[in-house]
Structures are given as C-alpha cells and as structure tokens.
Amino acid sequence: MNVSVSILAEIPEALHESLKIYLETHPDWDQDRVFSAALSLFLLQNGDSGTPETSPYYRQAARVYLETLFQHHV
C-alpha cells in the first residue's frame, strides 16, 4: 500500500525557476514526482545502508526512487 504524506518546503527562487522550466519541457513529470525522486536519491546517497536498523529504510528509499523514475503517466 502506497501512503503519501504532504510536506511544505521553501526552496530558493532559482531552484523553483529551474523546476518550472523542467516541468514545462517534461509533461510526464509533476512536482510531486520530482520531489519524490530527489528526496529518495538524497537518502540513498547519504543514508547508512550498513546497519540492520537502517537497511530496511534504505531498501524502501531505493524502491521509491526506482518506482518514481520508471512510472509512466498515460
């Protein structure tokens, strides 16, 4: 079961402008999909996958990242 949690975040204006341009040129992506991919990639790159306590969360972040990248909207 996929559960979503809504968050509110402030980002620099330059990053917002880049995001707007990206979304305008990639109609199969939306803001939620970009944020999900970015956050899960950050956690994969900076998380600790070596301990038994954190490895399930690492795998979950990896699953979210891959599902986000390869989902296709019709």
Side-chain angles (χ1 to χ4, degrees):
M1 169 164 77
N2 287 335
V3 176
S4 295
V5 177
S6 183
I7 62 169
L8 176 64
E10 292 186 22
I11 60 172
E13 186 176 356
L15 189 56
H16 181 259
E17 289 300 318
S18 294
L19 176 61
K20 278 181 20 180
I21 291 168
Y22 182 84
L23 294 176
E24 288 170 1
T25 59
H26 296 84
D28 54 330
W29 283 78
D30 61 24
Q31 179 176 306
D32 292 334
R33 186 176 175 194
V34 170
F35 283 177
S36 184
L39 183 56
S40 57
L41 179 59
F42 174 84
L43 293 172
L44 288 172
Q45 292 175 337
N46 296 289
D48 182 11
S49 64
T51 66
E53 297 81 20
T54 59
S55 62
Y57 301 106
Y58 185 86
R59 286 193 300 273
Q60 290 173 354
R63 183 175 302 115
V64 168
Y65 179 67
L66 292 173
E67 287 174 355
T68 302
L69 282 187
F70 295 110
Q71 76 183 17
H72 295 285
H73 295 285
V74 244

